[in-house]
Amino acid sequence: MTTGPVVWDPSTLPTDDNVNPYAFSVALNGRWFLQKGKMVAYYGNITFHPIGYGPLDSLISTSFHSPTHVGDWVVAEGQGHMILADRAYDVNSYDLEQGNLTVRAGNLLAFAPTLALKQSIIPGFLTLIGSGKFVAASNGPVHFVEPPIRVDPQALVGWADCPSPCHHYDHAYMRGVLGGVRRLTGIGGASGEEHQYEFVGAGQVLLQSTEVLMNELVAVEPGHTVPAQSAQANLGALGRQLGF
Amino acid sequence: MFTQINSKMVEAPVIPGQRLFSQRGAMLAYRGQVTFTPNIMGGQGGIGSMLGRRIANEDTPLMTVEGSGSAMFGHGGHHTHVIQLTGDTLYVEADRLLVFEGSLQQSTMFMGSQGGLRGIIRGQATGQGLFTTTLTGHGSAAVLAHGGVFEIPITPDRPIHVDPQAYVAHRGEVRSKVSTAIGWREAVGRGSGEAFQLELTGNGTVFVQASEEKL
């Protein structure tokens, strides 16, 4: 049996590994991309710059290609340990090797600049291309499945290597006498399962338990280096509210 | 036979000719040809059963899952717990039922019939209402809980007290009543916050969640 909480200091904090299922420690030496509000603590000498910060221009031009999420992201620069966490979700790191993985924008916490971030054609999702490590959160442990599969939009964390999904609509329940009554009167209601994302082809699909639509907490503005951004102007937050 | 994929997901096989009932909107993913039909009756039985559930406020929207393949379920990011019934009865609040096999007989029970007036007081005091849903037969059911679930056995010589908010479900030959510990402290607003407890006696198991948050 353990006795009491574990005490961490800069020499014992894990290097690019989980502190516990809900927190991840990045050993920073250089630059990492970080989503706003996902850093809960850090040791060392780290500064946080907005994406528009001048000296970062060459880095941005190679690694960040998502105009609508510019307001959600900052670059952490320096040396030290950075602890990441998100809504008490399970946090995991993933290594890509010359690969591609698409992940729900709100669930991506941070990524190494060796990866390139691109906006997916599916709204609310971001694609990472290249080699390197990234950190993502999920409600409950991530479950990997292989296509063919149909997934509730709320349960989708992301997908790797397989073609982008398409929409699948289930209209079977609208047929027949009962279906007609249901359509005309609304009596009987909807099952909530009329719409899924359908995956086919070879690859991996990442599932979570549902994406709880908690009230979006306004992140603490990290000092005056970051211009204030209203929640409405923030498409990433909007996407999360819409459940994408 | 349901499989627990992880703490928050359950996978259920969908076999032709065998129906599943699940909470609406609780499907996470599925393989094969599976249809989800909103269940106007809110479960098994005819019009009478439906009216009974409406009156008893145990009519959580359900859907019927049919076809062939497999489906994964989870809801609201809550923990899930699979319970295998072998001819005995599970007592559970309707809104905690995630998914159950059609081979289980679903009905609504008046809690007042267990312990008379005390049973009614129990329902009112604990916020569980006067009615509860029962599942009887052979098959699997998955329940939702806030925080992980643990099982505590109930034996005749060892009754157990459970915080009503942490109570999830129970099975077996179990009598439940509310035990109160109200004294002058509660009257002046300096209570311990543990004035009401659910006292379970008999032979069976109680499922308790690691949280005092009701679903």
Side-chain angles (χ1 to χ4, degrees):
Chain A
M1 292 295 284
T2 52
T3 53
V6 184
V7 178
W8 300 97
D9 63 42
S11 60
T12 59
L13 265 174
T15 301
D16 293 340
D17 203 357
N18 276 73
V19 178
N20 64 38
Y22 314 107
F24 188 89
S25 163
V26 175
L28 186 69
N29 187 11
R31 289 163 170 173
W32 261 61
F33 284 90
L34 171 72
Q35 187 158 184
K36 271 188 202 170
K38 311 295 188 191
M39 188 275 298
V40 292
Y42 71 88
Y43 267 120
N45 184 18
I46 301 177
T47 52
F48 300 91
H49 302 293
I51 295 298
Y53 180 61
L56 296 174
D57 270 354
S58 65
L59 175 70
I60 304 298
S61 65
T62 55
S63 296
F64 196 93
H65 312 270
S66 174
T68 54
H69 292 94
V70 160
D72 289 345
W73 287 83
V74 292
V75 175
E77 187 172 23
Q79 276 85 37
H81 281 89
M82 192 163 66
I83 317 277
L84 310 174
D86 181 25
R87 295 171 281 178
Y89 278 15
D90 286 56
V91 177
N92 280 298
S93 69
Y94 304 80
D95 289 298
L96 277 185
E97 274 195 35
Q98 293 301 321
N100 72 84
L101 188 141
T102 306
V103 62
R104 184 185 287 268
N107 285 23
L108 182 61
L109 303 192
F111 63 95
T114 50
L115 288 163
L117 181 84
K118 319 236 169 180
Q119 206 166 305
S120 168
I121 58 168
I122 312 287
F125 283 84
L126 296 170
T127 301
L128 290 161
I129 299 174
S131 301
K133 194 183 276 285
F134 68 94
V135 182
S138 60
N139 189 354
V142 170
H143 181 54
F144 289 84
V145 289
E146 281 178 12
I149 192 161
R150 294 180 183 145
V151 180
D152 189 297
Q154 294 270 300
L156 184 62
V157 178
W159 62 93
D161 299 331
C162 51
S164 287
C166 44
H167 294 287
H168 172 85
Y169 291 96
D170 180 10
H171 286 293
Y173 74 99
M174 282 294 191
R175 289 206 297 268
V177 177
L178 259 182
V181 170
R182 204 173 277 138
R183 187 169 60 228
L184 291 172
T185 64
I187 294 172
S191 66
E193 314 293 9
E194 292 79 35
H195 170 220
Q196 293 100 30
Y197 289 146
E198 177 156 355
F199 288 89
V200 289
Q204 294 277 325
V205 182
L206 285 68
L207 302 183
Q208 63 179 353
S209 182
T210 185
E211 180 81 8
V212 192
L213 296 178
M214 293 200 302
N215 294 327
E216 198 62 38
L217 298 172
V218 177
V220 179
E221 291 297 337
H224 55 274
T225 54
V226 177
Q229 183 102 20
S230 80
Q232 279 75 26
N234 184 329
L235 263 179
L238 182 68
R240 281 195 289 281
Q241 276 170 17
L242 291 174
F244 286 126
Chain B
M1 186 76 179
F2 296 170
T3 336
Q4 186 103 34
I5 296 173
N6 61 40
S7 59
K8 294 179 177 177
M9 278 189 218
V10 169
E11 181 161 12
V14 183
I15 300 157
Q18 295 183 20
R19 292 189 296 180
L20 298 174
F21 293 95
S22 126
Q23 214 170 89
R24 282 189 205 164
M27 185 275 291
L28 301 176
Y30 69 90
R31 296 172 192 283
Q33 289 302 315
V34 182
T35 58
F36 301 86
T37 316
N39 193 305
I40 195 165
M41 301 295 185
Q44 295 170 339
I47 297 284
S49 306
M50 174 186 88
L51 288 177
R53 277 190 286 273
R54 288 282 159 89
I55 293 164
N57 205 11
E58 286 282 321
D59 61 331
T60 295
L62 289 181
M63 57 185 183
T64 311
V65 184
E66 288 166 301
S68 77
S70 69
M72 293 165 215
F73 296 94
H75 191 60
H78 291 299
H79 283 74
T80 57
H81 190 71
V82 174
I83 298 167
Q84 196 68 36
L85 286 177
T86 49
D88 50 339
T89 302
L90 181 74
Y91 299 79
V92 60
E93 297 298 301
D95 50 7
R96 283 193 184 272
L97 262 180
L98 176 66
V99 54
F100 61 95
E101 286 179 325
S103 58
L104 294 172
Q105 194 63 41
Q106 175 199 16
S107 60
T108 307
M109 197 192 73
F110 179 53
M111 286 313 285
S113 65
Q114 243 193 1
L117 189 61
R118 297 207 69 144
I120 295 173
I121 294 170
R122 176 214 120 137
Q124 295 293 44
T126 59
Q128 282 168 347
L130 302 182
F131 296 87
T132 197
T133 294
T134 61
L135 294 176
T136 313
H138 291 263
S140 295
V143 295
L144 291 168
H146 187 255
V149 175
F150 52 93
E151 302 179 14
I152 302 177
I154 307 164
T155 50
D157 56 323
R158 205 181 266 176
I160 173 131
H161 297 258
V162 178
D163 187 303
Q165 272 112 33
Y167 164 86
V168 174
H170 73 263
R171 70 195 286 183
E173 293 298 314
V174 173
R175 298 182 63 79
S176 62
K177 66 173 193 187
V178 160
S179 57
T180 50
I182 299 182
W184 62 271
R185 286 176 194 278
E186 274 70 22
V188 297
R190 289 276 188 273
S192 62
E194 308 287 0
F196 289 102
Q197 286 126 23
L198 212 51
E199 185 182 337
L200 298 154
T201 48
N203 252 318
T205 309
V206 61
F207 301 88
V208 185
Q209 68 177 17
S211 165
E212 298 195 340
E213 190 166 302
K214 299 272 296 174
L215 292 191

